[in-house]
Amino acid sequence: MRRITLIVVILALYGTGMAAEAPSPSCPSGKDYTLAIHGGAGVILKENMTDKRESAYRKSLSKSLGLGGQMLEEGYSALDAVQFVVMALENDPKFNAGKGAVFSAAGKNELDAAIMDGRDRNAGAVSSVTTIKNPIVLARAVMENSRHVMFQGQGAEDFAKEHGIEQVDPKYFYTKRRYDQMKRKVKANKVKKHSFLDTAETKYGTVGAVAKDGCGNLAAATSTGGLTGKEFGRVGDTPIIGAGTYADNRYCAVSATGTGEFFIRAGVARDICSRREYLGESIAQSSNHVIHKTLTDMKGDGGVVAIDEQGNYSFAFNTPGMYRGANKGGKTLIEIFDAK
Ligand code: ASP
């Protein structure tokens, strides 16, 4: 992507919902950056996926990865890169965030998002919002323009109004595919009440990104519609700092996807960073331990994208697949299925 195209893309996304100034580069430009993204984990099997569908997902992942990579290369901050990557994925109806989010059992789209700045561990989060076009934009506004970390429901919507953040009719989030999924799930749950997992259809579809920029700073961002058929007022791990999202310049940045309840109970994202801090593990060791041992022992499922302060990245997931991609200094990779 040429520089001018990048600015146009940023401004087009920016126009969709921010009151603050458009971002501009603040770090040295060059190849000293890393970006890792995900579009959800779950029962994603090659044999259940048409070539057309697979290539559509690859295209979406590659587009957002391209945008974030180009931003980092041009000297934009990790915080801006993860925010814009997540905005692009929120606007893509294939993923369970923003447009195309899953439905609650009551037939609503209730969205959660969080962003964290590894420089000072400042963080912003929103939960259960129903009119915010890009919840990650609101999470960033909470981080930068309030003395609190998380706003939920009506309060979050009021905060958005006060700060000029774009709101839409809740119908904007509707997709037939997600609505039908919820109907099937609610029907199945009449038999198996409160089950999280149902059929081979279980895919989490949350979106997230972690990055290290040319200044050496880390950031993480995650956004989701939660779980299909979730009960009233349910909040998952995505907006919980330390569960689904975490960033600390000294050790790591993490964004998670999966059965949120388990990620909250295990404090997954913070634990991955803590293992590096206390045990000196590599990012691959700590993320694999937390996903393949801690989470798996608890019978939770899902995965993470994680990077360390050197820009090494790791994907860890215990599901058959996870939509994911990485760009380390221009070397890119996009994967969907488990390689094993
Ligand atoms: N972790 C999200 C939640 O529990 C769901 C997902 O990853 O798709 O809300």
Side-chain angles (χ1 to χ4, degrees):
M1 203 188 295
R2 303 247 316 272
R3 175 175 291 179
I4 190 79
T5 324
L6 175 68
I7 292 170
V8 171
V9 171
I10 290 175
L11 287 177
L13 281 167
Y14 174 78
T16 69
M18 277 185 286
E21 268 176 43
S24 53
S26 54
C27 294
S29 56
K31 301 274 185 202
D32 188 13
Y33 66 85
T34 305
L35 172 68
I37 68 171
H38 70 81
V43 185
I44 306 164
L45 294 164
K46 178 99 184 143
E47 55 267 34
N48 295 341
M49 173 105 65
T50 61
D51 289 349
K52 198 168 152 211
R53 200 166 167 73
E54 182 178 338
S55 94
Y57 272 97
R58 283 186 180 276
K59 218 165 135 193
S60 290
L61 290 168
S62 138
K63 209 169 135 196
S64 339
L65 195 66
L67 166 66
Q70 187 72 22
M71 286 180 78
L72 291 162
E73 193 155 333
E74 295 285 340
Y76 286 82
S77 69
L79 207 53
D80 287 335
V82 295
Q83 177 192 325
F84 277 79
V85 164
V86 167
M87 283 174 82
L89 292 166
E90 283 177 339
N91 292 349
D92 187 328
K94 282 191 275 314
F95 300 97
N96 171 20
K99 170 101 188 146
V102 300
F103 284 82
S104 70
K108 289 175 38 179
N109 302 109
E110 296 180 345
L111 313 173
D112 303 333
I115 192 161
M116 189 158 182
D117 185 342
R119 282 177 297 190
D120 52 3
R121 285 183 279 170
N122 198 4
V126 293
S127 70
S128 312
V129 293
T130 57
T131 68
I132 310 301
K133 185 176 182 208
N134 289 110
I136 200 66
V137 173
L138 183 55
R140 179 141 180 202
V142 169
M143 174 171 85
E144 289 176 346
N145 302 315
S146 86
R147 60 199 161 88
H148 303 297
V149 169
M150 190 196 284
F151 285 106
Q152 62 84 33
Q154 190 55 52
E157 316 259 348
D158 292 347
F159 183 87
K161 204 163 284 154
E162 263 179 27
H163 290 82
I165 284 162
E166 188 175 1
Q167 292 180 269
V168 289
D169 187 299
K171 283 197 206 76
Y172 163 80
F173 301 107
Y174 174 91
T175 53
K176 185 175 182 320
R177 168 177 165 235
R178 295 299 194 190
Y179 190 75
D180 292 347
Q181 250 172 23
M182 180 275 289
K183 284 283 173 203
R184 285 195 294 273
K185 174 93 187 236
V186 165
K187 213 165 146 197
N189 271 8
K190 287 217 172 90
V191 185
K192 246 166 72 187
K193 188 124 171 79
H194 303 308
S195 71
F196 291 115
L197 306 177
D198 40 23
T199 59
E201 191 170 63
T202 302
K203 296 180 197 75
Y204 299 112
T206 287
V207 305
V210 292
K212 173 178 176 270
D213 61 28
C215 298
N217 295 318
L218 305 188
T222 318
S223 182
T224 190
L227 295 181
T228 303
K230 64 187 181 183
E231 293 182 46
F232 40 76
R234 180 265 185 192
V235 177
D237 59 316
T238 299
I240 310 287
I241 300 304
T245 308
Y246 200 75
D248 178 340
N249 266 8
R250 298 169 304 166
Y251 303 107
C252 75
V254 179
S255 172
T257 171
T259 37
E261 282 67 13
F262 293 91
F263 282 70
I264 295 172
R265 288 164 54 200
V268 164
R270 182 65 174 99
D271 198 27
I272 290 172
C273 297
S274 298
R275 294 185 68 87
R276 289 190 38 66
E277 180 173 359
Y278 306 150
L279 304 173
E281 288 183 348
S282 70
I283 195 70
Q285 284 169 330
S286 62
S287 52
N288 278 313
H289 183 95
V290 174
I291 296 301
H292 293 291
K293 178 84 183 109
T294 315
L295 184 75
T296 304
D297 284 355
M298 291 169 81
K299 305 206 184 325
D301 53 11
V304 293
V305 293
I307 54 170
D308 68 14
E309 70 289 356
Q310 312 285 341
N312 300 306
Y313 68 86
S314 163
F315 301 125
F317 53 100
N318 65 1
T319 48
M322 180 166 82
Y323 297 110
R324 60 199 186 278
N327 177 345
K328 186 166 164 40
K331 253 188 87 187
T332 64
L333 167 96
I334 295 205
E335 290 176 340
I336 298 179
F337 311 105
D338 190 352
K340 279 170 261 144

